[in-house]
mmCIF file of all heavy atoms in Angstrom:
data_model
loop_
_atom_site.group_PDB
_atom_site.id
_atom_site.type_symbol
_atom_site.label_atom_id
_atom_site.label_comp_id
_atom_site.label_asym_id
_atom_site.label_seq_id
_atom_site.Cartn_x
_atom_site.Cartn_y
_atom_site.Cartn_z
ATOM 1 N N ALA A 833 -19.968 -99.109 40.764
ATOM 2 C CA ALA A 833 -19.017 -100.201 41.125
ATOM 3 C C ALA A 833 -17.728 -100.116 40.297
ATOM 4 O O ALA A 833 -16.622 -100.423 40.829
ATOM 5 C CB ALA A 833 -19.772 -101.589 40.832
ATOM 6 N N PHE A 891 -8.863 -89.548 43.593
ATOM 7 C CA PHE A 891 -9.188 -88.850 42.298
ATOM 8 C C PHE A 891 -10.656 -88.222 42.582
ATOM 9 O O PHE A 891 -11.415 -88.796 43.427
ATOM 10 C CB PHE A 891 -9.100 -89.549 40.971
ATOM 11 C CG PHE A 891 -10.079 -90.793 41.046
ATOM 12 C CD1 PHE A 891 -11.337 -90.801 40.809
ATOM 13 C CD2 PHE A 891 -9.285 -92.053 41.274
ATOM 14 C CE1 PHE A 891 -12.213 -92.000 40.885
ATOM 15 C CE2 PHE A 891 -10.121 -93.350 41.302
ATOM 16 C CZ PHE A 891 -11.574 -93.161 41.117
ATOM 17 N N GLY A 1048 -3.711 -69.122 46.067
ATOM 18 C CA GLY A 1048 -2.257 -68.871 46.148
ATOM 19 C C GLY A 1048 -1.578 -70.279 46.442
ATOM 20 O O GLY A 1048 -0.503 -70.452 45.890
ATOM 21 N N ARG A 1177 32.869 -51.778 49.238
ATOM 22 C CA ARG A 1177 33.926 -51.703 50.250
ATOM 23 C C ARG A 1177 34.959 -52.812 49.850
ATOM 24 O O ARG A 1177 36.146 -52.628 50.053
ATOM 25 C CB ARG A 1177 33.446 -51.968 51.717
ATOM 26 C CG ARG A 1177 34.572 -51.932 52.788
ATOM 27 C CD ARG A 1177 33.942 -52.028 54.208
ATOM 28 N NE ARG A 1177 34.949 -51.688 55.119
ATOM 29 C CZ ARG A 1177 35.847 -52.583 55.674
ATOM 30 N NH1 ARG A 1177 35.645 -53.911 55.385
ATOM 31 N NH2 ARG A 1177 36.730 -52.215 56.491
ATOM 32 N N ARG A 1191 51.006 -47.715 37.975
ATOM 33 C CA ARG A 1191 52.406 -47.128 38.324
ATOM 34 C C ARG A 1191 53.607 -48.009 38.006
ATOM 35 O O ARG A 1191 54.637 -47.674 37.590
ATOM 36 C CB ARG A 1191 52.384 -46.424 39.646
ATOM 37 C CG ARG A 1191 51.522 -45.185 39.724
ATOM 38 C CD ARG A 1191 51.119 -44.940 41.088
ATOM 39 N NE ARG A 1191 50.439 -43.468 41.080
ATOM 40 C CZ ARG A 1191 49.199 -43.333 40.730
ATOM 41 N NH1 ARG A 1191 48.460 -44.267 40.313
ATOM 42 N NH2 ARG A 1191 48.673 -42.000 40.691
ATOM 43 N N ALA A 1227 22.585 -53.142 62.425
ATOM 44 C CA ALA A 1227 21.807 -52.858 63.685
ATOM 45 C C ALA A 1227 22.300 -51.728 64.408
ATOM 46 O O ALA A 1227 21.452 -50.903 64.886
ATOM 47 C CB ALA A 1227 21.846 -54.228 64.535
ATOM 48 N N ALA A 1272 8.883 -54.730 66.368
ATOM 49 C CA ALA A 1272 8.780 -55.371 65.045
ATOM 50 C C ALA A 1272 9.090 -54.437 63.982
ATOM 51 O O ALA A 1272 9.665 -54.903 62.973
ATOM 52 C CB ALA A 1272 7.302 -55.940 64.935
ATOM 53 N N LEU A 1284 21.206 -52.956 52.240
ATOM 54 C CA LEU A 1284 22.018 -51.828 51.741
ATOM 55 C C LEU A 1284 23.502 -52.265 51.845
ATOM 56 O O LEU A 1284 24.310 -51.900 50.961
ATOM 57 C CB LEU A 1284 21.759 -50.569 52.484
ATOM 58 C CG LEU A 1284 20.430 -49.988 52.295
ATOM 59 C CD1 LEU A 1284 20.280 -48.709 53.343
ATOM 60 C CD2 LEU A 1284 20.329 -49.400 50.891
ATOM 61 N N GLY A 1292 12.844 -68.120 44.130
ATOM 62 C CA GLY A 1292 12.290 -68.225 42.829
ATOM 63 C C GLY A 1292 10.731 -67.632 42.817
ATOM 64 O O GLY A 1292 10.287 -67.081 41.832
ATOM 65 N N ALA A 1326 -10.264 -54.129 51.761
ATOM 66 C CA ALA A 1326 -11.323 -54.036 52.725
ATOM 67 C C ALA A 1326 -11.012 -54.616 54.223
ATOM 68 O O ALA A 1326 -11.572 -54.186 55.216
ATOM 69 C CB ALA A 1326 -12.722 -54.469 52.261
ATOM 70 N N GLU A 1363 -26.506 -64.085 52.900
ATOM 71 C CA GLU A 1363 -26.907 -63.211 53.985
ATOM 72 C C GLU A 1363 -26.011 -62.449 54.823
ATOM 73 O O GLU A 1363 -25.935 -61.356 55.072
ATOM 74 C CB GLU A 1363 -28.105 -63.824 54.766
ATOM 75 C CG GLU A 1363 -29.471 -64.069 54.185
ATOM 76 C CD GLU A 1363 -30.425 -64.485 55.220
ATOM 77 O OE1 GLU A 1363 -30.246 -64.290 56.373
ATOM 78 O OE2 GLU A 1363 -31.506 -64.819 54.670
ATOM 79 N N VAL A 1429 -11.685 -61.092 75.619
ATOM 80 C CA VAL A 1429 -11.337 -62.658 75.576
ATOM 81 C C VAL A 1429 -11.275 -63.251 76.895
ATOM 82 O O VAL A 1429 -11.924 -64.364 77.159
ATOM 83 C CB VAL A 1429 -10.092 -62.848 74.787
ATOM 84 C CG1 VAL A 1429 -9.565 -64.339 74.945
ATOM 85 C CG2 VAL A 1429 -10.306 -62.580 73.319
ATOM 86 N N LEU A 1456 -15.033 -75.940 69.349
ATOM 87 C CA LEU A 1456 -15.217 -74.493 69.715
ATOM 88 C C LEU A 1456 -13.861 -73.845 69.968
ATOM 89 O O LEU A 1456 -13.128 -74.335 70.715
ATOM 90 C CB LEU A 1456 -16.051 -74.305 70.982
ATOM 91 C CG LEU A 1456 -16.231 -72.855 71.560
ATOM 92 C CD1 LEU A 1456 -16.877 -71.935 70.488
ATOM 93 C CD2 LEU A 1456 -17.024 -72.898 72.898
#
Side-chain angles (χ1 to χ4, degrees):
F891 57 80
R1177 188 172 188 273
R1191 285 161 172 76
L1284 289 169
E1363 289 189 13
V1429 167
L1456 174 62

